[in-house]
Amino acid sequence: GFSQALEDAVNEGGDRNILFIAAAGNSGTDNDASASYPSNMTCTRTSAGAARGWDCIVAVAAIDANGNLASFSQYGATTVDLGAPGVNILSTLPGASYGAFSGTSMATPHVTGAVALCASQDAGISGQEARQFLLSSTATTASLAGKTTSSGRLDVATMMGSCAPAPVPMTGLPSSLSMGARSRTGITIGWTDGVANESRFEVQRARFTS
């Protein structure tokens, strides 16, 4: 059911660039036709009421090992975003044991983990960017066509290609390198330094024979 308090909390998180990853539900119904919460909550406006410009909720359906939409999984062409593995998923159990479970609640942690992995690559990635990277990298899946907004399933490898930080240009390189013979056994090397206050320089040489 709907909770205004939870929706308010999710919107507060959205104000801070936090994504809320929600399970679509396990009744096999269409969330476009019959809303299911919290995945159907609205997070497109800030807590102050202004347009956010992006939706801070990602709703997840469950697929099996063959990429088929699970029979129990809820879906929605406009309200559920992508699919992820949610059938016979090995998980921890109380008492330090393991067991296999099925459900959209088993699919959702895959997506949450992918977003966290993306954010770990670059602390500057915003929630909006993480959502964009997540949904633009999905692998097109026939069973999810017309059932999710992306028509695809989670593809972590492709997503990570977008999450990697841009290479930082190297700065402080020396320039105007010059070399001259000082004697039969010595040379003089000169350059214009690109960085100040170094503690030392290291010069390496290699001998080549033809």
Side-chain angles (χ1 to χ4, degrees):
F2 175 74
S3 166
Q4 186 63 58
L6 181 57
E7 185 172 272
D8 290 346
V10 170
N11 275 274
E12 287 280 357
D15 291 349
R16 292 161 176 76
N17 275 313
I18 297 173
L19 284 180
F20 187 79
I21 317 295
N26 300 324
S27 299
T29 53
D30 185 350
N31 287 2
D32 289 1
S34 180
S36 177
Y37 298 99
S39 64
N40 271 69
M41 290 190 304
T42 301
C43 191
T44 55
R45 306 194 75 81
T46 68
S47 56
R52 185 185 308 288
W54 60 286
D55 188 353
C56 72
I57 295 177
V58 175
V60 185
I63 59 173
D64 63 20
N66 296 314
N68 298 314
L69 180 67
S71 60
F72 57 78
S73 179
Q74 287 168 226
Y75 56 89
T78 63
T79 54
V80 178
D81 296 297
L82 78 165
V87 178
N88 293 324
I89 304 300
L90 189 67
S91 184
T92 53
L93 294 174
S97 62
Y98 295 87
F101 291 88
S102 299
T104 54
S105 289
M106 304 306 291
T108 303
H110 288 87
V111 177
T112 304
V115 170
L117 184 63
C118 175
S120 74
Q121 301 303 296
D122 183 354
I125 290 175
S126 68
Q128 181 178 7
E129 289 172 325
R131 176 188 170 88
Q132 177 186 342
F133 297 157
L134 172 70
L135 298 182
S136 65
S137 64
T138 56
T140 301
T141 304
S143 70
L144 298 173
K147 302 287 188 178
T148 62
T149 63
S150 67
S151 296
R153 67 183 185 276
L154 176 67
D155 185 338
V156 180
T158 300
M159 179 185 180
M160 293 308 294
S162 299
C163 299
V168 178
M170 188 177 293
T171 59
L173 293 175
S175 59
S176 303
L177 180 66
S178 63
M179 300 180 67
R182 188 177 62 185
S183 66
R184 293 185 60 186
T185 58
I187 59 173
T188 299
I189 304 174
W191 65 88
T192 300
D193 197 8
V195 180
N197 301 319
E198 296 95 341
S199 60
R200 67 189 181 93
F201 297 101
E202 180 177 311
V203 178
Q204 299 184 8
R205 70 187 183 110
R207 183 176 180 180
F208 298 94
T209 58
S210 57

